């Protein structure tokens, strides 16, 4: 399958966020990280996900600078770490993030976790202030459960654009998907390959064999079928290209049903400070 067949337009949502992005957590070697970002952008990716906590915002910025793609065509998201969530630190640390990313503004800024210094009344107005200043285009949250979304929506005058949560065939997030649909919030799937576990699921292997695809591609195609944006992390060109080619994998109703029916539920990201 040729990777050139997918134009960025083919994956861009009306909301302006491309539905397939590149994750960068643990892509920590500066040169490698910049190269993965450059390679993904030159391949067609237009959505890059990073975070203050990944320690790679500078390398992500370098990868963007090295790619043959204008900054304005790229949807760039970063996240404010849980220790930076009081009002002043949100402003200050985001200013630092923009410097590191070498950009005047990010397209989306997330609260990384509703934990640590997170206090809706203090944290969220700082996000609104950054939006007023033009430093961020959209306000996002991450790892929010319905009760955190309820609370945040009460505090914010601006809409919550997206909630980034773990989501894949082994953690299908039915309740959050319904909540986000009802309230016009984009769901962004992190760990969309279940950090590699998708390769061990028989149902996914069966669908993959049927389509001459990889389990990674099947997981990404299933998410796309559900209207969910996915940000698989990949380091090598091979993995970056394999995930990009998921855009050519069309699941039929039988495939989708088979994946919907997977009973196993396995969360991969579950730190002690998680709110659940
Ligand atoms: P993931 O994307 O589910 O899986 C990444 C793993 O799969 C890596 O080991 C990668 O290896 C491998 N891989 C990627 N494509 C592959 C392919 N086509 N074939 C075989 N193996 C492949 O896990 P993740 O990194 O946890 O999640 C993705 C992104 O979501 C993160 O990078 C980060 O940007 C974001 N995230 C956010 C949060 C949050 O709290 N908001 C939490 C977790 C993750 P290589 O690296 O060697 O290619």
């Amino acid at each position: 399958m040729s990777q050139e067949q997918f134009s960025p337009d083919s994956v861009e949502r009306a909301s302006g966020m491309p539905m397939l992005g590149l994750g960068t957590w643990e892509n920590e070697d500066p040169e490698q990280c910049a190269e993965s970002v450059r390679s993904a952008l030159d391949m067609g990716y237009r959505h890059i996900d990073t975070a203050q906590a990944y320690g790679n915002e500078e390398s992500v910025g370098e990868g963007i600078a090295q790619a043959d793609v204008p900054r304005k065509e790229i949807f760039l998201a970063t996240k404010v770490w849980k220790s930076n969530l009081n009002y002043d630190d949100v402003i200050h640390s985001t200013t630092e993030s923009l410097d590191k990313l070498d950009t005047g503004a990010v397209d989306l800024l997330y609260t990384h976790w509703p934990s640590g210094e997170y206090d809706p009344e203090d944290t969220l107005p700082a996000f609104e202030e950054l939006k007023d200043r033009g430093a961020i285009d959209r306000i996002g949250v991450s790892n929010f459960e319905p009760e955190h979304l309820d609370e945040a929506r009460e505090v914010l005058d601006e809409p919550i654009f997206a909630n980034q949560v773990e989501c894949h065939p082994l953690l299908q997030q039915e309740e959050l998907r319904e909540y986000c649909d009802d309230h016009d919030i984009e769901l962004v799937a992190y760990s969309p390959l279940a950090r590699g576990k998708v390769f061990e699921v028989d149902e996914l292997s069966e669908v993959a064999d049927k389509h001459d695809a990889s389990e990674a591609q099947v997981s990404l195609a299933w998410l796309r079928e559900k209207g969910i944006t996915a940000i698989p992390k990949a380091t090598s060109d091979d993995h970056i290209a394999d995930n990009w080619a998921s855009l050519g994998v069309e699941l039929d109703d039988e495939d989708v049903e088979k994946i919907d029916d997977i009973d196993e539920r396995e969360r991969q990201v579950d730190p002690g400070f998680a709110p659940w």
Side-chain angles (χ1 to χ4, degrees):
M1 205 169 323
S2 126
Q3 63 215 25
E4 285 79 24
Q5 71 191 96
F6 312 112
S7 75
D9 292 346
S10 68
V11 285
E12 181 137 346
R13 306 182 65 112
S15 62
M17 177 172 62
M19 285 187 76
L20 183 62
L22 181 76
T24 63
W25 183 28
E26 293 180 337
N27 197 337
E28 280 158 2
D29 175 75
E31 275 179 30
Q32 178 60 65
C33 180
E35 175 52 18
S36 302
V37 170
R38 182 211 60 75
S39 169
L41 290 171
D42 285 337
M43 206 178 281
Y45 286 72
R46 292 292 181 272
H47 176 171
I48 307 290
D49 183 83
T50 182
Q52 293 174 351
Y54 303 167
N56 63 10
E57 289 175 310
E58 224 153 16
S59 319
V60 167
E62 265 159 40
I64 290 173
Q66 286 166 19
D68 204 12
V69 179
R71 167 68 187 91
K72 64 176 180 341
E73 289 181 17
I74 302 167
F75 187 96
L76 177 60
T78 193
K79 314 183 193 79
V80 182
W81 187 235
K82 65 186 179 69
S83 55
N84 290 334
L85 288 173
N86 74 52
Y87 186 97
D88 289 342
D89 288 346
V90 171
I91 306 277
H92 179 69
S93 68
T94 302
T95 308
E96 280 182 353
S97 290
L98 297 183
D99 277 352
K100 288 181 184 162
L101 289 162
D102 196 18
T103 190
V106 286
D107 300 272
L108 175 59
L109 183 73
Y110 296 99
T111 296
H112 205 147
W113 289 87
S115 307
E117 295 297 304
Y118 179 68
D119 168 1
E121 308 269 354
D122 192 36
T123 305
L124 298 172
F127 279 65
E128 289 180 317
E129 169 64 20
L130 287 165
K131 190 161 186 284
D132 285 348
R133 290 185 192 181
I136 69 174
D137 287 346
R138 299 168 185 80
I139 296 171
V141 297
S142 178
N143 297 299
F144 275 39
E145 296 283 296
E147 70 261 29
H148 305 109
L149 291 167
D150 281 342
E151 195 179 37
R153 286 174 45 246
E154 261 180 39
V155 173
L156 280 166
D157 293 323
E158 296 284 343
I160 297 173
F161 176 76
N163 185 22
Q164 185 181 124
V165 295
E166 181 173 342
C167 187
H168 45 70
L170 300 178
L171 191 71
Q172 301 195 4
Q173 299 281 23
E174 291 87 345
E175 189 191 357
L176 272 174
R177 272 160 50 198
E178 196 179 328
Y179 185 106
C180 288
D181 273 354
D182 288 349
H183 295 93
D184 216 10
I185 298 171
E186 298 283 341
L187 196 132
V188 176
Y190 76 64
S191 307
L193 311 180
R195 304 189 58 96
K197 281 272 159 41
V198 292
F199 295 96
E200 298 164 19
V201 181
D202 290 345
E203 291 87 338
L204 296 178
S205 298
E206 287 161 21
V207 176
D209 284 350
K210 175 173 154 186
H211 290 274
D212 195 17
S214 69
E215 288 85 347
Q217 291 171 343
V218 169
S219 186
L220 297 172
W222 176 81
L223 288 162
R224 192 178 72 242
E225 188 68 37
K226 301 289 176 193
I228 298 172
T229 295
I231 48 165
K233 177 254 190 177
T235 307
S236 63
D237 277 4
D238 280 357
H239 285 172
I240 294 169
D242 190 57
N243 297 339
W244 188 241
S246 69
L247 296 172
V249 176
E250 293 289 344
L251 302 182
D252 60 30
D253 292 349
E254 189 191 358
D255 305 326
V256 172
E257 210 172 301
K258 184 182 276 201
I259 299 171
D260 288 350
D261 286 348
I262 294 173
D263 286 335
E264 205 180 330
R265 291 288 173 267
E266 210 184 309
R267 200 183 268 284
Q268 304 299 321
V269 178
D270 198 7
F273 54 77
W276 41 78

